[in-house]
Amino acid sequence: MTDEGTRTVTRAEDPLLAAVAGGVRLIELGHPFFTGMPCSPNHPGFRMTLIRRHGDMERPDGGSAANEIIVTGGHVGTHIDALSHVSHDGKLHGGIGAAEAQRGGTFTSHGAEHLPGLLRRGVLLDVAAAHGAGTLPPGYGVTVEDLEEAAARGGAEPREGDVALVRTGWSRNFHDPAAYLGTETGVPGVTADAARWLADRRISATGADTTAYEQIPAGAGHAVLPVHRVLLVEAGIFIIEHLDLEALAEAGLHEFVFVLAPLRIRGGTGSPVRPLAAVSA
């Protein structure tokens, strides 16, 4: 029960508590983190190893503990971009000077500690399914028409405050780093015009099942990031990358409760996350 001034709200009266009590199924929307997983060459990769193993130190009562050390970039594996991640013409979102904001090896504005926890309406825009394909072609640019068709097909249009997830099917290649990163072949992704279509709907965040939420033509690498500019710098919309949307698509869920809690990394440019879709059991 919680106090609302002089009024006490019981579980039966709280629709959110009532919904949870009625049973909720959680669907994973991200990849597990492991040494050797695909990683953009622009970022240091994820590494984890045990620094203490059971038996290294045994307590008088026979107990033993193990623990690990983790080294990773902030934009490795399933993660969310803070607004400090990308600047344009020397400016972050809101016209903040990037050079002044990043002094001392950290960000004083738009750091990852300001990333919000998200409990929002989620929408799956299954562009691969709209094309009748399991996976979009390498280097394909997702257009406004693609997003409109995916929204109509799924019966779920992105609205203000929503989290819009774009499925290309590319996470099916996650087991093959060379194919997934598409260094030679390219990677499908949203175009700048499609990003503006999403921004016009005033969504809070958007994500995709690729490494860079960008259309990456064959051999282009990450030469330019026009979609990051549109979303992070111009619109202040957070970007989630390296999603796994296959289970969501297989379940035929185009509308759901989206749950995400970033790490509060002071002055950082991003955070590893474990996003979930919550639906009635």
Side-chain angles (χ1 to χ4, degrees):
M1 296 189 291
T2 59
D3 289 328
E4 284 188 348
T6 59
R7 180 172 175 269
T8 299
V9 179
T10 66
R11 185 189 325 186
E13 294 173 316
D14 188 312
L16 183 58
L17 285 174
V20 173
V24 172
R25 178 165 62 107
L26 297 177
I27 299 174
E28 297 280 358
L29 301 179
H31 294 282
F33 289 76
F34 58 92
T35 301
M37 67 183 182
C39 170
S40 165
N42 294 332
H43 303 286
F46 179 90
R47 297 291 184 272
M48 190 281 284
T49 189
L50 296 177
I51 59 168
R52 177 179 289 177
R53 301 172 184 272
H54 290 294
D56 288 348
M57 183 189 76
E58 191 168 298
R59 293 178 171 84
D61 65 354
S64 181
N67 55 64
E68 65 280 301
I69 183 170
I70 296 171
V71 178
T72 185
H75 298 266
V76 177
T78 307
H79 68 275
I80 185 169
D81 293 347
L83 297 183
S84 56
H85 180 44
V86 167
S87 66
H88 190 69
D89 290 335
K91 302 293 184 181
L92 301 173
H93 177 65
I96 295 172
E100 293 77 13
Q102 66 185 1
R103 289 178 178 170
T106 185
F107 273 90
T108 57
S109 298
H110 293 321
E113 74 272 27
H114 300 300
L115 284 164
L118 294 173
L119 181 64
R120 302 276 182 155
R121 174 179 180 257
V123 172
L124 175 65
L125 300 172
D126 195 341
V127 177
H131 278 248
T135 305
L136 291 179
Y140 179 80
V142 174
T143 65
V144 171
E145 291 74 22
D146 287 327
L147 296 183
E148 290 176 337
E149 183 177 351
R153 186 179 183 275
E157 182 93 8
R159 302 193 298 251
E160 183 173 353
D162 288 351
V163 176
L165 306 182
V166 180
R167 177 178 174 267
T168 69
W170 205 247
S171 66
R172 294 183 175 191
N173 295 322
F174 195 76
H175 66 284
D176 183 345
Y180 181 75
L181 296 175
T183 304
E184 296 182 1
T185 60
V187 178
V190 171
T191 61
D193 286 344
R196 291 188 185 94
W197 183 89
L198 290 168
D200 288 344
R201 277 141 188 82
R202 301 177 65 84
I203 60 173
S204 60
T206 182
D209 51 359
T210 61
T211 182
Y213 201 97
E214 298 270 357
Q215 177 192 12
I216 304 175
H222 297 174
V224 293
L225 300 171
V227 171
H228 281 64
R229 182 191 72 242
V230 170
L231 295 175
L232 293 176
V233 182
E234 296 176 8
I237 294 171
F238 305 107
I239 298 174
I240 309 162
E241 294 165 325
H242 292 290
L243 289 169
D244 183 356
L245 304 176
E246 295 307 293
L248 197 63
E250 289 169 9
L253 294 168
H254 297 271
E255 188 177 22
F256 47 90
V257 174
F258 180 84
V259 183
L260 179 145
L263 301 177
R264 298 179 68 192
I265 303 172
R266 183 175 294 175
T269 64
S271 167
V273 292
R274 183 184 182 183
L276 300 165
V279 296
S280 298

